[in-house]
């Protein structure tokens, strides 16, 4: 499966393609207010830890209502965005890292252990409590202290500390990763289709293109997806696009319906409006208005 990140059209507002300046970038206990969420993606991995506040975090079409102690592991490619309740404190720690640099010179078996939670579980939420929470926050504090010190070989020492943190996280995720590793070939193919749609839903998708990327025939892909999920590939694609439209309508009240339609992957506004009303039960304009009234 291709892991190439598609570049969004220049007209898509509220989107940022982040670049990494250092192999490890650490921002701990950041309480800077966030005014309006911005969808972003990146080709590096992210460890996100929520300390305090009221925030929902959107990753693709998943919405996580965060609580203190929540840890998010993200592969970065999926569009993601925090949505902070107005007036609420928002305290978070974020570690961005280049997985190739962090795992350089490690044996393949160690690399697999450290990165499997990001590559197998993709975008995963854990709630840390008790000793786990204490251990993670102790590791985080140690990294933050080193980052602020005048120290020789700082990046190399940060790498060692991050590797220790990744080993701890891998231990916590071991059972989930093993469950994913034990799935059947059919389920794995379907997961690849879902991942492909997640990365490319805003483009002009065809069954030919998806099947070619999966190295499967169209007929086998269609019957396999229906067998495992109970729905068709394109019903899933439209569900993903409509979910994206709902997210944009909620987060960007001034974005035009036409731009929402295009950002969600629809070529024609009329088709988008018809599909939205069929799947949501109301027109996009009415949905946006109702979400505004709930705030």
């Amino acid at each position: 499966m291709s892991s190439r990140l598609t570049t969004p059209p220049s007209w898509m507002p509220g989107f940022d393609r982040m670049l990494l300046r250092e192999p490890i970038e650490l921002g701990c206990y950041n309480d800077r207010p966030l005014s309006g969420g911005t969808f972003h993606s990146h080709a590096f991995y992210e460890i996100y830890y929520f300390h305090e506040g009221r925030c929902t975090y959107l990753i693709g079409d998943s919405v996580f209502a965060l609580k203190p102690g929540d840890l998010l592991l993200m592969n970065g490619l999926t569009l993601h965005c925090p949505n902070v309740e107005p007036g609420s404190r928002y305290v978070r720690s974020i570690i961005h890292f280049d997985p190739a640099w962090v795992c350089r010179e490690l044996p393949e078996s160690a690399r697999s252990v450290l990165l499997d939670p990001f590559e197998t579980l993709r975008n995963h939420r854990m709630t840390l409590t008790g000793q786990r929470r204490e251990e993670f926050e102790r590791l985080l504090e140690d990294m933050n202290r080193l980052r602020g010190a005048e120290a020789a070989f700082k990046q190399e020492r940060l790498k060692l500390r991050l590797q220790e943190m990744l080993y701890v996280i891998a231990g916590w995720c071991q059972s989930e990763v093993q469950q994913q590793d034990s799935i059947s070939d059919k389920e794995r193919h379907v997961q690849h289709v879902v991942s492909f749609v997640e990365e490319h839903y805003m483009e002009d998708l065809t069954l030919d293109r998806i099947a070619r990327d999966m190295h499967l025939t169209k007929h086998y892909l269609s019957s396999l997806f229906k067998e495992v999920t109970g729905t068709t590939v394109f019903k899933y694609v439209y569900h993903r696009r409509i979910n994206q439209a709902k997210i944009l309508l909620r987060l960007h009240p001034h974005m035009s319906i036409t731009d929402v339609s295009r950002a969600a992957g629809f070529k024609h506004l009329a088709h988008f409006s018809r599909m939205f009303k069929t799947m949501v039960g109301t027109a996009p304009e009415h949905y946006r208005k109702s979400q505004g009234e709930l705030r």
Side-chain angles (χ1 to χ4, degrees):
M1 181 188 66
S2 170
S3 61
R4 180 177 61 85
L5 174 66
T6 55
T7 303
S10 59
W11 44 261
M12 182 176 175
F15 179 93
D16 186 25
R17 175 76 180 276
M18 295 176 61
L19 300 175
L20 200 62
R21 295 181 296 275
E22 300 287 344
I24 301 174
E25 293 184 354
L26 180 65
C28 287
Y29 311 105
N30 183 358
D31 63 355
R32 188 175 69 250
L34 193 69
S35 57
T38 300
F39 277 99
H40 58 279
S41 74
H42 40 76
F44 44 89
Y45 290 178
E46 178 173 339
I47 299 171
Y48 172 104
Y49 184 71
F50 185 62
H51 294 276
E52 181 185 346
R54 295 181 65 84
C55 173
T56 55
Y57 210 104
L58 298 91
I59 308 178
D61 62 351
S62 298
V63 180
F64 300 102
L66 298 182
K67 51 185 177 294
D70 275 359
L71 179 68
L72 297 177
L73 310 177
M74 292 183 269
N75 66 9
L77 290 174
T78 307
L79 287 176
H80 50 283
C81 169
N83 185 27
V84 181
E85 184 174 302
S88 169
R89 283 200 79 201
Y90 178 43
V91 187
R92 67 279 190 194
S93 292
I94 299 174
I95 303 172
H96 292 144
F97 66 96
D98 176 352
W101 189 84
V102 167
C103 294
R104 185 180 299 162
E105 298 172 359
L106 290 179
E108 180 60 29
S109 58
R111 180 196 180 281
S112 177
V113 167
L114 296 186
L115 300 184
D116 265 358
F118 299 86
E119 296 175 352
T120 304
L121 303 179
R122 295 182 65 83
N123 301 300
H124 184 58
R125 194 254 299 261
M126 308 175 64
T127 298
L128 304 184
T129 59
Q131 290 183 347
R132 285 188 175 186
R133 184 169 177 178
E134 290 175 9
E135 182 174 15
F136 182 83
E137 292 183 355
R138 187 167 56 249
L139 291 167
L140 191 63
E141 177 58 37
D142 187 40
M143 291 182 69
N144 189 48
R145 187 166 47 247
L146 176 59
R147 183 184 66 92
E150 291 294 330
F153 307 108
K154 185 186 294 187
Q155 283 290 324
E156 287 73 14
R157 293 171 65 187
L158 276 173
K159 180 200 287 190
L160 290 173
R161 283 160 172 77
L162 178 57
Q163 287 173 346
E164 181 182 1
M165 178 182 283
L166 291 173
Y167 272 116
V168 170
I169 291 171
W172 294 339
C173 293
Q174 197 169 37
S175 61
E176 289 94 337
V177 169
Q178 288 172 347
Q179 279 184 335
Q180 290 292 323
D181 286 341
S182 66
I183 65 174
S184 68
D185 286 341
K186 288 183 177 181
E187 291 170 320
R188 189 171 287 108
H189 282 315
V190 169
Q191 283 191 348
H192 287 172
V193 174
V194 169
S195 298
F196 184 85
V197 171
E198 180 61 45
E199 293 178 28
H200 300 280
Y201 67 85
M202 66 183 70
E203 302 174 14
D204 184 17
L205 288 180
T206 65
L207 198 58
D208 277 322
R209 180 182 174 187
I210 298 172
R212 185 169 61 249
D213 195 87
M214 299 297 109
H215 305 292
L216 301 172
T217 66
K218 286 194 299 181
H219 176 73
Y220 182 68
L221 173 63
S222 297
S223 60
L224 176 66
F225 197 88
K226 183 70 180 291
E227 176 186 343
V228 173
T229 68
T231 190
T232 68
V233 173
F234 272 91
K235 280 185 180 177
Y236 178 79
V237 170
Y238 284 128
H239 175 78
R240 178 63 185 91
R241 287 172 172 169
I242 293 299
N243 272 352
Q244 185 65 21
K246 288 165 68 177
I247 290 169
L248 294 173
L249 288 167
R250 287 166 55 189
L251 290 187
H252 300 284
H254 303 297
M255 188 176 180
S256 73
I257 300 299
T258 298
D259 280 352
V260 168
S261 167
R262 294 169 69 189
F266 288 89
K267 285 184 177 181
H268 305 292
L269 179 59
H271 183 209
F272 166 67
S273 297
R274 184 169 64 252
M275 290 295 299
F276 193 96
K277 189 166 185 179
T278 298
M279 297 177 70
V280 182
T282 186
E285 298 88 344
H286 295 154
Y287 177 82
R288 168 179 277 165
K289 184 179 178 182
S290 69
Q291 294 301 303
E293 291 170 350
L294 291 174
R295 290 195 182 99

